[in-house]
Structures are given as structure tokens and as C-alpha cells.
Amino acid sequence: MDSTNATDLWDRVVATQPDPATWLVIVTGVVALAAVAPRGLWLITRNAITIAHEGGHGLVALLSGRRLEGIRLHSDTSGLTVSRGKPAGIGMILTALAGYPAASLLGLAGAWLLAAGHITALLWGATALLAALLVMVRNAFGMLTVVVSGAAFVLVSWLAGPAVQALFAYGVVWFLLLGGVRPAFELQGKRRHGGAPDSDADQLARLTNVPAVVWLGFFHVISLCALTGGGRWLLGL
């Protein structure tokens, strides 16, 4: 790729695009809510939140100096991230902490990009993150899930017009913001009935001697604040 083409490509990525009409932004939010609220559909769409969840664990593990062994994504929407390093300490705490807030924080970052008009940057950035995640996935279903997700972003980025790109980007960000809220409530329900004894909240409790309910409350605060702030950005408030 010569310097001229590289410059053109960079200009395309960082360029700003016009926002869709407010009513279209609301429609994408309603569609995203419809993908999150019904239990039957959620059992399928939750896989996307699991990708963000396990990706959050993996990214923070690397940033905190741990060795990332691999990530597995399962058809029941569960996942597992394995890293090597000290069994306790700040690195392990941050790694365990990163999963539940990941989708919400990604949604918040995406809302900020969309509010600034950087639709193309969001689509390409998401594609890059999925490509990086694919390298660390260690099972067939996980690879299939990430490849299909990445392919959707690539196709929209290269083949769709600006209007379709905008609607797709807004729909994805709404889904991350809304879908990031539900897992913490699901975990709360499981723990109420004695389930999920090795959840992220329980691991954090063992690592920090802070009760799991406090960490669960932290997950709620992050997801709800991200939804509120990100929603305001998306709606131009």
C-alpha cells in the first residue's frame, strides 16, 4: 500500500459522518431492546455480550502483566478466560473485575464515538478488536461466533451505504448498553438461589475480602450509569 492510499484510508477512518434522524436512533434502540428483553431471543443474542465479557477479562489480563492462555465461548452463552500469573494481587483482581462491565463500557465508548460522528471509526475499531480476540479463542464454537460477528462488521463497513452503516452502528451500541445491564441481574438471581458459587463477584470476594454483594452492586452501578450516559449521547441530549 503506497503512502497516498494509506492516507486516503486513514482519512476515511477518522472522517465524521452525519448523524441519523433522532427517530431512527430511537428505532434502533427499540430494536436492540427487543433483542435483549425476550428470554428466548436473549439466549441467542447473549453470545455477543459473552464475547465482550470474556474479551474484557482477556484484555485486562494482558494489560496487568498476566499471560493469557486462551478464551473459550460456549453455545450456552457461558465463557471462560484462562490466564497465568500470581493467584492474587492487583492483576488478578482487575482481571476478575473486567468481565461484567466490559459490554457496558464498550457501549459507552461507542456512544461517545457516535456522538462525535465517527461511525466508520467505530465499525473498523470493532472489527480490529474482534480480530485480536479471534487469535486467543480456543474452541470451534467460539471461533465461529467471533468470525460471524466480525464478518458482519466488515460487510457493513465495506458494502453498505452511510445510512445503513449508521443504523447498524447505533443498533450495536444500543445493544451493548442494554445487554450490558441484564447479566448482573441474572447473576443476582442465581446467587439468590445458591447458584454460581464461582462467579466473578465471588472470586473478587475471595481475592479482596469484600463481600460479593458489594461487587455485584458495583456491576449494577457501572452498567446502569453507562446506559444512562451512553443513551444521552446517542439521543443528542
Side-chain angles (χ1 to χ4, degrees), residues 66-214:
R66 298 180 62 81
R67 179 181 175 185
L68 182 59
E69 295 288 326
I71 294 172
R72 301 178 70 87
L73 305 170
H74 304 133
S75 59
D76 63 354
T77 74
S78 65
L80 177 66
T81 298
V82 178
S83 62
R84 302 295 180 189
K86 294 180 179 180
I90 187 64
M92 188 61 205
I93 292 172
L94 292 175
T95 299
L97 181 63
Y100 276 92
S104 295
L105 295 179
L106 282 173
L108 186 62
W112 176 77
L113 283 173
L114 293 181
H118 293 297
I119 297 172
T120 301
L122 182 145
L123 296 175
W124 285 41
T127 303
L129 289 174
L130 288 168
L133 178 65
L134 182 61
V135 176
M136 297 309 303
V137 174
R138 295 292 183 264
N139 67 319
F141 180 82
M143 294 180 68
L144 176 63
T145 303
V146 175
V147 167
V148 169
S149 301
F153 279 94
V154 170
L155 290 174
V156 171
S157 299
W158 283 101
L159 302 180
V164 175
Q165 289 185 3
L167 293 178
F168 179 79
Y170 273 83
V172 167
V173 171
W174 273 122
F175 175 78
L176 289 171
L177 291 171
L178 293 165
V181 173
R182 184 162 179 174
F185 283 99
E186 292 178 331
L187 176 58
Q188 183 177 343
K190 290 178 181 178
R191 296 190 73 258
R192 187 182 298 118
H193 296 93
D198 292 319
S199 71
D200 293 355
D202 292 282
Q203 291 182 46
L204 286 164
R206 290 192 288 269
L207 288 166
T208 64
N209 292 320
V210 176
V213 66
V214 175

